[in-house]
Amino acid sequence: MTGIRVDPYTYAARVSGPAMTLRSPFLFVAALLLLGPFVPVARADEPIVLIAFGDSITEGYGDTSSLGGGYTKRLDRWIDQSGHNCRVDNHGVGGETSSQGLSRVDSVLAEGGDFFLLMEGTNDISHRTGIESIRFNLNEMATRAEALGMVAVHATPIPRIPTALVDADNTATAALAATLRQVAADLNRGLVDNFAVFEGLPGLFDNYYYLPPGNTDPVGHPNTDGYMQIAGTFLETLLPLLDAPRIQIIPPDGGTEAGALTSFGIGGIGSFTRVEWTFGDGGFTVTMAPGDLSTFYLYLEPGTYTVSVRGFTAQGAVSVDTATVEVTGNAAIWPSRTSLLPVVVESNDGLLVSDLTLVNGGAFFAIAEVEFLPEVRYDVTPPVRRFLLNPQTTITLKGVLPFFFGIGSGRGALKVEMSCASPGALGTLVATALVHAASDPTSSNGAAVHQVSSLGWSSSSRELLEIPYSAAAPPSFVLANLDASAGIVRVDLFDATSAFIGSAVLDLGAGASRVRALPDLFRGLETREAPFQALFGASTVRYSVATVSSNPTTGRVEVESDEP
């Protein structure tokens, strides 16, 4: 690929992933088997490998048939009958939690495979683990599989039996299923919705669940008929994915040099509507049909990088490929400027989202490196993302946290480092965020968040004036620590008459944010006259302060930040 595409591009609104629900797997399989003798498609020498990863339900506990093996053996057989040369490898471990799965998944992925079928989390519920922690572990496993060029498919858990020791009413299990549906939609992954299928089955627990001697099962496992249902649900999701055209990266001829534009092409261009590219150094981009699905990138450092693509068809099928690129030469030392966007949010209830806009108004190529400073520390630090900015280009990243950091919910700040080959062009590079209600398609009621340059970062006192207050929609303080050491920030709050309300002290971790609602810090605010005034002071660390509030009735979001 020798051409260089330099047209401005804008990321589209979020595209729903291949989330499918099968209400009658038996009927689907019956129809499949009644089609008569299968005409196999052309088969390669090596089968497509599907890694089935999970707990005792993946392992097959409760399957008393002569075939045994739970859903995986039936899925293996039915996929083979459909004309695909596949092998389903069972890596289920009874009693495993998602954190235990995360600790062993790398060794399983190292064996190699093409699809990663992930069904886990019900044992976490037995241990009363929070849904957010389960989501993080499952997403991390899927992300690691995708980094190796595999197609990740999430599966929701089946309902727990009425005599379950924990979550017998399936409140937490339903919440986990809903979370996985959202993750699959946000990150364009396949979804096998076992929970929805089982909910609709007549005589569910009498007909589709295994009853062990003594009725000692504390969770609930499928019987043979239940496993056939699960296998059929997997089958309907997987067949379109297996039928997808195979994408292939066309790497640059002869490698590339640091600081030089490098073009990447793909095979199967006519079959895909959307292609996601990652470049091994945090770089990320998306190309969309009907435009050119190829792309280009610029590495600043020499080294060996793994480039990966995920291609999506109009039917929701996914194909992946990876390639290795050797970058030679000397590191490109570009002048840079760092700024902070003090508020970014993706709320737990999905009502608030944040978009990021990056502008290159100059005549030179630029790179934006974006880092999320979260309120809550994750077990694995969110990745730092890089975006190549064409000259005279504006990029809008819709839903920046889930789409580009893999975070379904989170609050904090974004640190943005903009680099350019020309020092004089740094002033043409601008980053802004927009916090808005997910139900606000035009973001007309959203709040713009402007960048705070590192030139103004300090530990000096800050002041926020005219803070509105409503008991129905109370604002929250958002504080970000810009240093690599922990610190303390004190806040004094005053009402509209300048009467002192109270003081609070907030601990800030290194390179982290802290978000606290005003009623959690100060009592009796509904009796005080608004708007309020807040004065901040830090011990030693450089920090930023802002407030964010959203009105659930009007959908309006307001952000106020101090810009020294």
Side-chain angles (χ1 to χ4, degrees):
M1 191 73 185
T2 57
I4 295 180
R5 183 174 62 87
V6 296
D7 297 329
Y9 54 95
T10 300
Y11 286 94
R14 57 178 70 186
V15 178
S16 59
M20 308 176 195
T21 298
L22 177 63
R23 287 295 179 183
S24 183
F26 275 151
L27 293 179
F28 181 83
V29 175
L32 187 65
L33 297 176
L34 289 173
L35 289 177
F38 290 97
V39 180
V41 297
R43 299 188 175 203
D45 293 335
E46 294 295 327
I48 298 172
V49 176
L50 295 87
I51 298 174
F53 192 93
D55 49 38
S56 55
I57 295 180
T58 299
E59 189 179 37
Y61 176 79
D63 184 1
T64 57
S65 68
S66 57
L67 180 65
Y71 84 83
T72 58
K73 284 192 175 181
R74 291 167 177 81
L75 180 63
D76 193 317
R77 182 172 64 180
W78 290 345
I79 290 179
D80 186 67
Q81 290 172 339
S82 73
H84 295 278
N85 182 19
C86 293
R87 186 183 79 237
V88 181
D89 292 344
N90 191 322
H91 290 277
V93 173
E96 182 174 82
T97 64
S98 63
S99 60
Q100 292 169 334
L102 184 58
S103 68
R104 75 176 176 98
V105 71
D106 288 337
S107 61
V108 173
L109 296 176
E111 298 179 15
D114 302 284
F115 286 78
F116 182 63
L117 315 181
L118 179 57
M119 182 167 58
E120 202 157 55
T122 191
N123 292 314
D124 296 75
I125 292 174
S126 296
H127 289 82
R128 304 183 189 277
T129 303
I131 299 299
E132 180 63 22
S133 297
I134 305 173
R135 186 211 67 82
F136 176 84
N137 291 336
L138 297 179
N139 179 62
E140 178 63 22
M141 286 188 267
T143 300
R144 293 184 188 184
E146 289 172 338
L148 296 175
M150 302 181 194
V151 176
V153 177
H154 288 286
T156 60
I158 64 172
R160 297 162 77 85
I161 56 178
T163 57
L165 299 179
V166 178
D167 195 40
D169 62 357
N170 282 293
T171 299
T173 303
L176 176 59
T179 296
L180 291 177
R181 294 183 193 112
Q182 190 63 52
V183 169
D186 285 344
L187 301 178
N188 296 294
R189 292 174 182 155
L191 176 70
V192 178
D193 203 344
N194 295 308
F195 189 87
V197 170
F198 270 57
E199 270 193 317
L201 294 176
L204 175 62
F205 299 110
D206 292 333
N207 297 328
Y208 298 97
Y209 277 68
Y210 172 63
L211 186 64
N215 193 20
T216 56
D217 191 342
V219 177
H221 291 78
N223 60 14
T224 299
D225 287 343
Y227 278 115
M228 291 183 68
Q229 290 284 344
I230 294 175
T233 310
F234 268 97
L235 182 67
E236 189 193 29
T237 297
L238 288 170
L239 283 181
L241 303 182
L242 291 168
D243 289 333
R246 294 296 162 201
I247 199 168
Q248 183 180 15
I249 297 175
I250 303 175
D253 295 335
T256 187
E257 290 190 5
L261 280 175
T262 302
S263 3
F264 295 88
I266 60 170
I269 288 178
S271 302
F272 300 98
T273 60
R274 170 187 173 94
V275 176
E276 296 180 354
W277 297 79
T278 57
F279 298 96
D281 66 339
F284 187 92
T285 193
V286 176
T287 52
M288 305 283 294
D292 186 2
L293 295 179
S294 61
T295 190
F296 65 95
Y297 193 64
L298 188 151
Y299 291 97
L300 295 179
E301 301 280 345
T304 302
Y305 300 95
T306 299
V307 180
S308 63
V309 292
R310 300 176 71 207
F312 302 89
T313 69
Q315 295 73 35
V318 184
S319 181
V320 298
D321 190 30
T322 60
T324 300
V325 174
E326 294 288 341
V327 179
T328 59
N330 299 318
I333 308 301
W334 284 9
S336 63
R337 185 187 65 185
T338 303
S339 60
L340 183 83
L341 297 173
V343 176
V344 66
V345 61
E346 179 87 13
S347 61
N348 287 311
D349 55 15
L351 298 180
L352 280 182
V353 297
S354 296
D355 305 332
L356 173 65
T357 297
L358 303 171
V359 178
N360 178 5
F364 298 87
F365 284 90
I367 287 178
E369 187 170 277
V370 184
E371 179 183 358
F372 177 46
L373 306 181
E375 173 194 11
V376 177
R377 280 297 182 189
Y378 299 99
D379 293 338
V380 177
T381 303
V384 176
R385 292 299 195 189
R386 284 185 173 184
F387 303 94
L388 180 63
L389 305 179
N390 297 347
Q392 298 293 316
T393 296
T394 296
I395 299 178
T396 298
L397 308 176
K398 297 286 188 178
V400 64
L401 290 186
F403 259 163
F404 302 101
F405 293 98
I407 297 171
S409 63
R411 306 182 298 183
L414 290 179
K415 186 163 71 172
V416 182
E417 182 176 353
M418 308 277 258
S419 304
C420 186
S422 172
L426 287 176
T428 67
L429 308 178
V430 180
T432 58
L434 184 67
V435 183
H436 62 96
S439 59
D440 183 8
T442 63
S443 305
S444 57
N445 286 319
V449 181
H450 300 286
Q451 64 186 16
V452 181
S453 172
S454 59
L455 298 176
W457 296 359
S458 73
S459 58
S460 62
S461 61
R462 301 275 192 272
E463 185 178 45
L464 289 178
L465 305 175
E466 301 294 323
I467 301 172
Y469 185 82
S470 166
S476 294
F477 286 137
V478 184
L479 289 82
N481 179 0
L482 307 175
D483 288 328
S485 58
I488 295 175
V489 175
R490 173 192 172 101
V491 54
D492 296 328
L493 191 67
F494 301 85
D495 66 15
T497 67
S498 298
F500 179 67
I501 296 176
S503 298
V505 176
L506 299 175
D507 294 322
L508 283 179
S513 295
R514 190 78 183 273
V515 182
R516 293 294 301 274
L518 263 66
D520 293 340
L521 299 174
F522 306 98
R523 303 302 179 192
L525 294 181
E526 63 277 0
T527 66
R528 308 302 289 261
E529 184 177 346
F532 299 142
Q533 174 184 349
L535 300 178
F536 300 85
S539 54
T540 56
V541 296
R542 297 175 301 167
Y543 68 105
S544 73
V545 296
T547 61
V548 59
S549 60
S550 61
N551 190 315
T553 302
T554 64
R556 184 169 182 80
V557 179
E558 295 183 5
V559 171
E560 180 187 359
S561 63
D562 174 69
E563 301 179 26

